[in-house]
C-alpha cells in the first residue's frame, strides 16, 4: 500500500474534526472522498499533507512504508505527496512561472509543457501567483503545480468546486494524465461534479461528521449518492 | 549659484531635520583629484566593491570615484559618438559655461551642514553628464562611487542634464569593500530632465556598519518629461538619511521606487518628495522595506499638488523580520488646488503564515519559502527600465533577499 491511515484522528485548535479514520490506497489508484460541507474531508487531506494548522491527536499515517505522522509538510512533499489546496493564497510579487520553474528543477519534471497544455495555464504563467485568478484559473494553476511535483500521491481538495464546465473537463483530463503516470490520487468533492468526467475511479468513501461512514465501488455508490444526496443515499446504500 | 561664503560657512553647523546629526570634524578630508583610469591603478578591492552593487565588469563603467579621486574612462569615449559627455564635474565647471549655470542651482549649498561641507571642501568631485537633444542613449551609463579607506569623507557632486526629447538610463553603484568600517559619504545630485525627455536612474547602495550616508538629490522635470528613480539599499549602514525632491512641470511624470533591506543597528531614513506644478503632471512613490536586527527605518513619502488636474499615489509597504526592528511609514499628501487626485496606502506586517505554509506544502523548506516571499515582496514593476538593467537589478534583489533572510 502506498498510503495507510491507521485510526487517524485530527484536531484543529484542539477540536477533533476527523475521527478514527482508516484509509488505504495502492499505487495508481484513484479514491474519491465525498461528503457534505464541513464533514472533515479537507482536514483529512491537510493532515496527510502535514499542514501545521492540523494536529494528529491519535493514530498514524504511513506513506510508502514510512511513518510520516510527525514529518513537516515540505519533507512529505519531497517524499512524493502533493496537495492541491482548495483555496490557495494569492501571493503578490511571486510569479507563477518562478514557482513552477523551482518545482520543475527540484522534481526533474520533463513533460511540463504537455501539462500546461492540458490545463491551459500558459497565459497565466507570467502573472503573480493566484492574484486575480478566476475560480477555474486558480484550480487549474494549483493542479498544474501539483503535477509538476510528479507526485506519487496527489491530494486534490475540491478541484471541481466553483469552476466552469470547461475547466472541470480540463481538470478531469489532467487527473487522467496523472493516473496514466501511475500517480495515486485522493480526490475530495462535495458536489461530485467531476466524477462522471473521470475515466477511472477505484473506490468512493463517504465522510460524514469527521468519519468515513461508507466505502464502496463507484458503480455502486455514485449513482445512489448523486440521486438521493448524502443522508438518504446512505440509508439506501445500507439497506442493500 | 553665487552665495555669500559666510552664509554657507554658517550652515556648516546646521543639522538636517531628519536622521542622526553627524560630527563632520571626526573625519579626514582627502585631496580631491581627477585622472584617467589605469587598470593597474585600480585598488584590487574595487572589483569586490563593484560586485556588491552588481557591476561585474569594471570596463563598462564610464566614471569611477574612489574616495576623493575621480576617474573617467574608455566608455566615455564610446558614448561620445552619440554626443553624450561624461566628465568629472570639476573639469566641466572649468570648461563649460552651461555646467556652471546648472551647478548648485537645484540644491542650495546652505541647505544643511552636508551640502555646505560639500560646497566648501568637496572640490566639485563628481560627474557631469550631458545628453544632447533627441539622443536616445542605447546603453545604460554606469558610474560607481567607492570608499576604500577608513575615517574619510567622500564628497560627490553630480549633475545630469538630459536635453529636450532625449533619453538616458543611468546606473550608479555606491559601495565600500568588506573590511571598511568608518566613513561618511555625501552625494549631491542635481538632475535636469528637459522637455519630453526621459531619465531613469537606478542606484544601488552597499555600505558597511559604521558608515554614514547623506545623499542630497533634487530633480527638475520639464514639460512632458519623465523621471524614474529606482533606489536599492541592502547593506548594513550606521545611518543613511536622504529625501530626494522632484519638481514636475506640465504633462510630466515622476516615478520613484525605494527598496530598503535594513539590518543591524542601522538607521535608514529614506524619503521621496514630488511636487506637481503643472497641469496633467503625475507622480507615484512606491517603497518596500524589509527590516531585521535592531534597525530603524523611516519611509517618508510626500506628494504635493500645486495645480488641479494632477495625480499622485504613494504606496509604502513594510515587512518586519525580527522582534527588535522598527519601521515607520510616513506618507503625506498635500493638495493646494481642488481637482488634484492624491492617494496613499501604507501597511506594515510580517510574512503571512498562510503563504509560508502553502509554499512549504509545495516542498520548499521554511528558509526557502521565506526567501521566495521576501523576494516577491520586493519585486516592483518599475516602468521603463531597460531589460539589461532589470536583469542586473534582479540579480541584486536576489542578493538583497539572501541578506534579508540572514
Amino acid at each position: 500500500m502506498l498510503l495507510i491511515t491507521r485510526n487517524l484522528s485530527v484536531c484543529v485548535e484542539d477540536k477533533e474534526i476527523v475521527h478514527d479514520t482508516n484509509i488505504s490506497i495502492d499505487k495508481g489508484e484513484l479514491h474519491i472522498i465525498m461528503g457534505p460541507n464541513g464533514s472533515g474531508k479537507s482536514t483529512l487531506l491537510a493532515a496527510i499533507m502535514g499542514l501545521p494548522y492540523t494536529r494528529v491527536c491519535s493514530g498514524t499515517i504511513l506513506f510508502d512504508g514510512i511513518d510520516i505522522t510527525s514529518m513537516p509538510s515540505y519533507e512529505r512533499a519531497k517524499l512524493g505527496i502533493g496537495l492541491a489546496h482548495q483555496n490557495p493564497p494569492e501571493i503578490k510579487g511571486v510569479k507563477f512561472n518562478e514557482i513552477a520553474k523551482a518545482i520543475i528543477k527540484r522534481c526533474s519534471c520533463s513533460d511540463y509543457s504537455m501539462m500546461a497544455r492540458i490545463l491551459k495555464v500558459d497565459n497565466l504563467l507570467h502573472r503573480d501567483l493566484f492574484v486575480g485568478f478566476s475560480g477555474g484559473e486558480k484550480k487549474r494553476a494549483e493542479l498544474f503545480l501539483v503535477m509538476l511535483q510528479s507526485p506519487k500521491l496527489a491530494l486534490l481538495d475540491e478541484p471541481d468546486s466553483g469552476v466552469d464546465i470547461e475547466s472541470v473537463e480540463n481538470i478531469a483530463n489532467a487527473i487522467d494524465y496523472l493516473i496514466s503516470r501511475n500517480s495515486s490520487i485522493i480526490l475530495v468533492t462535495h458536489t461530485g461534479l467531476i466524477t462522471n468526467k473521470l475515466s477511472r475511479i477505484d473506490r468512493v468513501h463517504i465522510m460524514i461528521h469527521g468519519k468515513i461512514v461508507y466505502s464502496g465501488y463507484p458503480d455502486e455508490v455514485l449513482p445512489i449518492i448523486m440521486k438521493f444526496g448524502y443522508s438518504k443515499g446512505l440509508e439506501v446504500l445500507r439497506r442493500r | 549659484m553665487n552665495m555669500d561664503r559666510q552664509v554657507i560657512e554658517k550652515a556648516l553647523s546646521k543639522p538636517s531635520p531628519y536622521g542622526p546629526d553627524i560630527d563632520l570634524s571626526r573625519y579626514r578630508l582627502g585631496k580631491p583629484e581627477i585622472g584617467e583610469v589605469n587598470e593597474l591603478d585600480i585598488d584590487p578591492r574595487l572589483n569586490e566593491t563593484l560586485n556588491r552593487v552588481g557591476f561585474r565588469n569594471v570596463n563598462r563603467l564610464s566614471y569611477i570615484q574612489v574616495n576623493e579621486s575621480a576617474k573617467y574612462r574608455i566608455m566615455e569615449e564610446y558614448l561620445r559618438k552619440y554626443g553624450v559627455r561624461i566628465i568629472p564635474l570639476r573639469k566641466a565647471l572649468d570648461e563649460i559655461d552651461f555646467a556652471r549655470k546648472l551647478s548648485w542651482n537645484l540644491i542650495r549649498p546652505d541647505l544643511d551642514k552636508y551640502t555646505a561641507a560639500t560646497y566648501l571642501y568637496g572640490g566639485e568631485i563628481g560627474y557631469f553628464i550631458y545628453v544632447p537633444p533627441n539622443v536616445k542613449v542605447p546603453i545604460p551609463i554606469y558610474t560607481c562611487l567607492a570608499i576604500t579607506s577608513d575615517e574619510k569623507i567622500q564628497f560627490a557632486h553630480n549633475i545630469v542634464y538630459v536635453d529636450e526629447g532625449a533619453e538616458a538610463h543611468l546606473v550608479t553603484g555606491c559601495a565600500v569593500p568588506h573590511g571598511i568600517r568608518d566613513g561618511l559619504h555625501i552625494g549631491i545630485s542635481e538632475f535636469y530632465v528637459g522637455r519630453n525627455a526621459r531619465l531613469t536612474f537606478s542606484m544601488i547602495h552597499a555600505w558597511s556598519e559604521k558608515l554614514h550616508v547623506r545623499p542630497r538629490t533634487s530633480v527638475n522635470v520639464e514639460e512632458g518629461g519623465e523621471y524614474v528613480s529606482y533606489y536599492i539599499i541592502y547593506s548594513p549602514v550606521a545611518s543613511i538619511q536622504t529625501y530626494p525632491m522632484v519638481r514636475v512641470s506640465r504633462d510630466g511624470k515622476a516615478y520613484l521606487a525605494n527598496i530598503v533591506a535594513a539590518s543591524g543597528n542601522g538607521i535608514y531614513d529614506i524619503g521621496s518628495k514630488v511636487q506637481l506644478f503643472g497641469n496633467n503632471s503625475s507622480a507615484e512613490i512606491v517603497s518596500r522595506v524589509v527590516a531585521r536586527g535592531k534597525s530603524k527605518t523611516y519611509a517618508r513619502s510626500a506628494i504635493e499638488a500645486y495645480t488641479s488636474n494632477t495625480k499622485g499615489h504613494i504606496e509604502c509597504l513594510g515587512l518586519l523580520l525580527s522582534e527588535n526592528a522598527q519601521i515607520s511609514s510616513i506618507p503625506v499628501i498635500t493638495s493646494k488646488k481642488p481637482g488634484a487626485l492624491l492617494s496613499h496606502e501604507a501597511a506594515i506586517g510580517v510574512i503571512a503564515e498562510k503563504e509560508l505554509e502553502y509554499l512549504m506544502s509545495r516542498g520548499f523548506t521554511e528558509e526557502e519559502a521565506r526567501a521566495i516571499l521576501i523576494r516577491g515582496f520586493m519585486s516592483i514593476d518599475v516602468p521603463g527600465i531597460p531589460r539589461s538593467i532589470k536583469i542586473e537589478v534582479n540579480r541584486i534583489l536576489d542578493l538583497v533577499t539572501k541578506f534579508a533572510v540572514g
Side-chain angles (χ1 to χ4, degrees), chain A residues 27-28 80-81 105 170 185 205 214 223 231:
Chain A
K27 282 178 187 162
I81 303 177
K105 196 174 160 196
N170 299 143
I185 294 173
H205 310 275
Y214 197 91
S231 309

Side-chain angles (χ1 to χ4, degrees), chain B residues 24-309:
Chain B
L24 299 182
S25 65
R26 281 179 48 217
Y27 298 95
R28 291 185 288 131
L29 293 174
K31 186 173 176 292
E33 290 168 5
I34 301 174
E36 288 201 24
V37 93
N38 174 344
E39 300 287 347
L40 297 175
D41 288 343
I42 293 180
D43 186 323
R45 285 182 301 174
L46 189 62
N47 272 325
E48 178 226 319
T49 310
L50 291 171
N51 241 321
R52 294 190 71 203
V53 285
F55 300 168
R56 281 171 288 188
N57 185 354
V58 71
N59 292 320
R60 281 202 322 204
L61 289 165
S62 299
Y63 174 92
I64 311 171
Q65 183 177 330
V66 181
N67 304 320
E68 56 288 323
S69 299
K71 320 246 182 202
Y72 63 110
R73 50 174 304 117
I74 203 145
M75 275 303 291
E76 193 266 335
E77 299 289 319
Y78 178 78
L79 289 162
R80 192 182 284 220
K81 73 178 180 195
Y82 301 101
V84 177
R85 300 293 312 271
I86 301 174
I87 48 177
L89 180 63
R90 195 165 77 188
K91 200 164 147 59
L93 294 176
D94 287 343
E95 296 170 3
I96 307 169
D97 266 353
F98 183 53
R100 280 193 290 276
K101 281 184 192 150
L102 302 176
S103 180
W104 297 105
N105 183 43
L106 296 181
I107 296 176
R108 289 172 62 95
D110 66 340
L111 178 73
D112 60 24
K113 59 164 69 174
Y114 311 105
T115 54
T118 309
Y119 184 88
L120 294 169
Y121 311 122
E124 298 295 15
I125 294 295
Y127 53 73
F128 173 78
I129 298 176
Y130 174 73
V131 183
N134 301 315
V135 169
K136 313 262 192 248
V137 186
I139 53 165
I141 301 166
Y142 289 95
T143 65
C144 179
L145 309 174
I147 298 181
T148 57
S149 53
D150 275 324
E151 292 169 359
K152 278 204 168 178
I153 301 186
Q154 182 189 53
F155 294 110
H157 181 193
N158 303 317
I159 296 176
V160 177
Y161 195 101
V162 184
D163 216 329
E164 188 169 344
E167 184 175 314
H169 305 284
L170 181 62
V171 184
T172 296
C174 291
V176 295
H178 290 292
I180 294 297
R181 299 179 65 81
D182 206 353
L184 170 64
H185 168 86
I186 306 175
I188 309 293
S189 300
E190 298 180 277
F191 295 162
Y192 296 83
V193 182
R195 275 166 63 95
N196 300 318
R198 192 155 189 278
L199 172 64
T200 75
F201 176 59
S202 305
M203 175 165 254
I204 299 147
H205 271 178
W207 302 110
S208 69
E209 293 88 348
K210 289 202 173 168
L211 208 93
H212 295 277
V213 185
R214 294 294 180 272
R216 299 290 179 258
T217 304
S218 191
V219 185
N220 189 59
V221 181
E222 286 183 39
E223 203 174 309
E226 186 177 356
Y227 174 68
V228 176
S229 160
Y230 194 176
Y231 174 76
I232 301 173
I233 178 164
Y234 75 95
S235 65
V237 69
S239 74
I240 175 164
Q241 188 273 313
T242 182
Y243 206 153
M245 241 264 289
V246 185
R247 292 166 58 96
V248 187
S249 305
R250 184 190 176 91
D251 296 324
K253 282 183 193 167
Y255 181 98
L256 293 94
N258 296 323
I259 294 177
V260 181
S263 62
N265 293 308
I267 295 172
Y268 299 74
D269 196 321
I270 311 281
S272 301
K273 181 189 269 192
V274 181
Q275 294 180 317
L276 300 172
F277 281 105
N279 188 39
N280 198 33
S281 55
S282 63
E284 191 171 351
I285 301 173
V286 176
S287 78
R288 296 282 187 275
V289 179
V290 289
R292 64 187 180 93
K294 292 179 180 173
S295 61
K296 288 194 169 104
T297 304
Y298 301 89
R300 303 179 198 276
S301 310
I303 298 179
E304 296 172 354
Y306 290 84
T307 322
S308 50
N309 192 24

